[in-house]
Amino acid sequence: MKVIISLVICLFFLTPYVSAGNEPAPFNINDYAWLAGRWTGDGFGGTSEEVWSPPSADGTMMGVYRHHNADGSLNFYEFMVLDKTGLRIKHFTPELVGWETKENYITFEMIAFSKDKIELKGLVFERKSDRQMEIRLRLKNGEKIETETFHMKRAN
């Protein structure tokens, strides 16, 4: 009995207390206006370019991405939509042939967010400064999980 009471007391003190006044702020797409614009950087052994539109009144941001191999050849494109549920992505070959079927897309579910960081299941966008951002993508390579880190700089 003493063990059960001790466990209940420990759980009480270790469980975060959330009251009406301490609830986290709801997701607001306008908090991520810092993402809007053109970013360039590295990733996948080549060059990455990402462009985001400003937040929209419908609670979304739209983005596009393209990757060039180290030799300068185009590797692939992405079309992205960010909202309170997370990020949805469709991939395309250089010839604009979709990787996913017409109805399907890749989803990164929203986990947490703060003014400088959007944490999605398998993907993180983190503002390091007004001109620098880091993107961390978790990938499964066989049985191994690896993280690809993109060091992005705001382009003029």
Side-chain angles (χ1 to χ4, degrees):
M1 183 68 161
K2 288 181 183 179
V3 172
I4 293 173
I5 292 172
S6 296
L7 285 173
V8 169
I9 290 171
C10 285
L11 285 174
F12 175 79
F13 285 107
L14 293 175
T15 303
Y17 177 73
V18 177
S19 69
N22 292 333
E23 291 177 10
F27 181 85
N28 183 341
I29 198 69
N30 294 310
D31 292 341
Y32 303 99
W34 59 263
L35 193 57
R38 183 172 170 259
W39 299 85
T40 59
D42 57 7
F44 296 126
T47 305
S48 295
E49 179 182 13
E50 195 161 289
V51 181
W52 285 94
S53 67
S56 176
D58 69 355
T60 66
M61 287 180 75
M62 171 185 64
V64 291
Y65 171 92
R66 70 177 165 180
H67 181 264
H68 287 91
N69 294 312
D71 66 5
S73 62
L74 183 60
N75 192 11
F76 66 94
Y77 295 104
E78 293 176 342
F79 178 82
M80 305 176 286
V81 177
L82 175 68
D83 66 14
K84 67 182 179 181
T85 65
L87 185 72
R88 294 181 305 278
I89 297 178
K90 278 191 119 24
H91 296 88
F92 300 90
T93 69
E95 298 77 31
L96 293 178
V97 175
W99 289 5
E100 297 83 19
T101 61
K102 187 168 51 171
E103 301 82 17
N104 293 326
Y105 47 85
I106 305 295
T107 302
F108 293 93
E109 181 182 337
M110 184 69 70
I111 294 175
F113 49 87
S114 64
K115 71 179 186 108
D116 292 322
K117 188 175 182 181
I118 304 167
E119 187 175 350
L120 307 154
K121 188 174 182 180
L123 181 66
V124 175
F125 291 86
E126 186 170 4
R127 176 170 54 171
K128 298 296 188 175
S129 73
D130 287 342
R131 303 204 49 81
Q132 295 183 333
M133 167 176 60
E134 187 175 277
I135 302 170
R136 294 182 298 278
L137 173 64
R138 291 178 47 129
L139 301 162
K140 189 171 184 180
N141 186 2
E143 295 300 314
K144 193 170 146 184
I145 299 209
E146 300 172 343
T147 300
E148 181 75 21
T149 302
F150 303 80
H151 300 95
M152 307 296 283
K153 293 185 180 178
R154 190 173 295 282
N156 293 329

